[in-house]
């Protein structure tokens, strides 16, 4: 009889410990889930059937895991691009790179750090971009370049194909393609910082590629894309993106007409954007004069085009 009493007491003790362990575990899980989802309500979840609880918890875990993996990829940049005909096929090669240094640059931009990373003085970025000229046809993606002040600059190269249009609307089509390329370049810098897709959906991406002859319709698409990029850019608190160059040329291998843009972020452009924002209530600045007309360089017929050599000190 005494042994039975002892066993009963042990069972009651173990049950109390088990219930306390479950309560402590639930409290810890509730706290961790709340970090992954601000709208999480433990009372609502506990009132659900176990099967539904399992589905919701799996979705929260997947969302949290995706966010962690996305953050780990901050700082991915294109290191090399090349394209050309190999036999009867047209092939494209793209190489990407990630490094702790690039990740620190990306996180510094994302956190709007006032103490940017420094390196040995490099090149004048604007002059370097101007010197690329027709080589821009073979460059796509995000590069990191150290400028002549030792600051890390994020330079994005993007391209777009103008829609087919009547002869009297070709200039408008090229202008729209340059706008699309500019927004793509801005999106590339956002992706470098957060590695997230900026386009809202595949439908937006398909609309951009549709052939449109109506100017207002094409302009509305680029405005919508710019709004998406601007919204994501404000969320990430990226200031100082500015367009350094817009261009158009004929692809030497395919004969396609292409338009492109180069967008740059740098600590100095970020600081200038801050000063401009602070002086918005002051006297309006004078409008910028139009850039001088640029001479078109003759396009040769190479067998392959490739990107320029990277700045290894930035990686």
């Amino acid at each position: 009889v005494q042994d039975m009493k002892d066993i009963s007491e042990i069972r009651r003790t173990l049950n109390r410990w088990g219930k306390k362990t479950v309560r402590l575990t639930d409290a810890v899980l509730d706290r961790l889930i709340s970090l992954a989802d601000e709208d999480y309500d433990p009372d609502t979840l506990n009132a659900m059937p176990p099967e539904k609880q399992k589905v919701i918890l799996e979705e929260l875990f997947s969302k949290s895991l995706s966010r962690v993996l996305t953050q780990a990829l901050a700082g991915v940049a294109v290191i090399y691009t090349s394209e050309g005909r190999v036999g009867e096929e047209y092939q494209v090669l793209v190489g990407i790179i990630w490094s702790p240094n690039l990740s620190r640059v990306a996180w510094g931009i994302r956190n709007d750090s006032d103490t940017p990373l420094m390196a040995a003085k490099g090149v004048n970025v604007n002059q370097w971009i101007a010197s690329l000229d027709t080589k821009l046809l073979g460059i796509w993606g995000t590069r990191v370049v150290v400028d002549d002040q030792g600051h890390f600059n994020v330079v994005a190269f993007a391209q777009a194909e103008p829609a087919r249009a009547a002869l009297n609307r070709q200039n408008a089509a090229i202008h729209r393609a340059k706008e699309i390329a500019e927004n793509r370049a801005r999106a590339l810098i956002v992706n470098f910082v957060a590695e997230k897709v900026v386009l809202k959906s595949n439908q937006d991406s398909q609309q951009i590629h549709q052939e449109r002859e109506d100017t207002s319709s094409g302009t509305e698409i680029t405005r919508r894309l710019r709004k998406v990029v601007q919204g994501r850019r404000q969320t990430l608190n990226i200031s100082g993106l500015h367009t350094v160059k817009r261009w158009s040329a004929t692809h030497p291998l395919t004969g396609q007409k292409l338009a492109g843009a180069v967008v740059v972020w740098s600590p100095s452009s970020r600081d200038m954007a801050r000063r401009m924002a602070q002086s918005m209530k002051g006297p309006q600045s004078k409008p910028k004069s139009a850039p001088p007309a640029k001479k078109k360089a003759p396009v040769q017929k190479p067998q392959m085009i490739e990107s320029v050599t990277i700045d290894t000190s930035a990686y």
Side-chain angles (χ1 to χ4, degrees), residues 62-81:
S62 177
K63 184 193 299 183
S64 178
L65 182 61
S66 297
R67 183 168 61 247
V68 170
L69 292 175
T70 297
Q71 292 174 351
L73 286 174
V76 175
V78 176
I79 193 172
Y80 177 79
T81 57

Side-chain angles (χ1 to χ4, degrees), residues 42-85:
D43 295 331
T44 303
L45 181 69
N46 293 331
M48 295 178 181
E51 295 79 8
K52 194 169 184 179
Q53 289 185 22
K54 180 182 177 182
V55 173
I56 291 177
L57 290 174
E58 286 177 349
E59 289 178 352
L60 288 172
F61 175 77
S62 177
K63 184 193 299 183
S64 178
L65 182 61
S66 297
R67 183 168 61 247
V68 170
L69 292 175
T70 297
Q71 292 174 351
L73 286 174
V76 175
V78 176
I79 193 172
Y80 177 79
T81 57
S82 176
E83 59 180 291
R85 295 193 179 278

Side-chain angles (χ1 to χ4, degrees), residues 239-258:
S239 59
L241 298 182
H242 68 287
T243 303
V244 174
K245 187 180 182 68
R246 281 182 169 193
W247 55 271
S248 63
T250 301
H251 196 288
L253 301 181
T254 64
Q256 292 173 292
K257 188 71 176 179
L258 292 174

Side-chain angles (χ1 to χ4, degrees), residues 78-134:
V78 176
I79 193 172
Y80 177 79
T81 57
S82 176
E83 59 180 291
R85 295 193 179 278
V86 179
E88 296 182 355
E89 295 182 345
Y90 193 91
Q91 298 185 0
V92 177
L93 174 66
V94 179
I96 63 173
I97 186 173
W98 177 92
S99 71
N101 211 30
L102 291 177
S103 182
R104 285 191 290 269
V105 172
W107 277 104
I109 299 173
R110 184 169 186 171
N111 296 328
D112 203 23
S113 174
D114 288 322
T115 55
L117 292 175
M118 299 290 293
K121 293 183 178 181
V123 300
N124 182 297
V125 174
N126 288 346
Q127 292 179 5
W128 173 69
I129 293 172
S131 70
L132 296 176
D133 200 21
T134 54

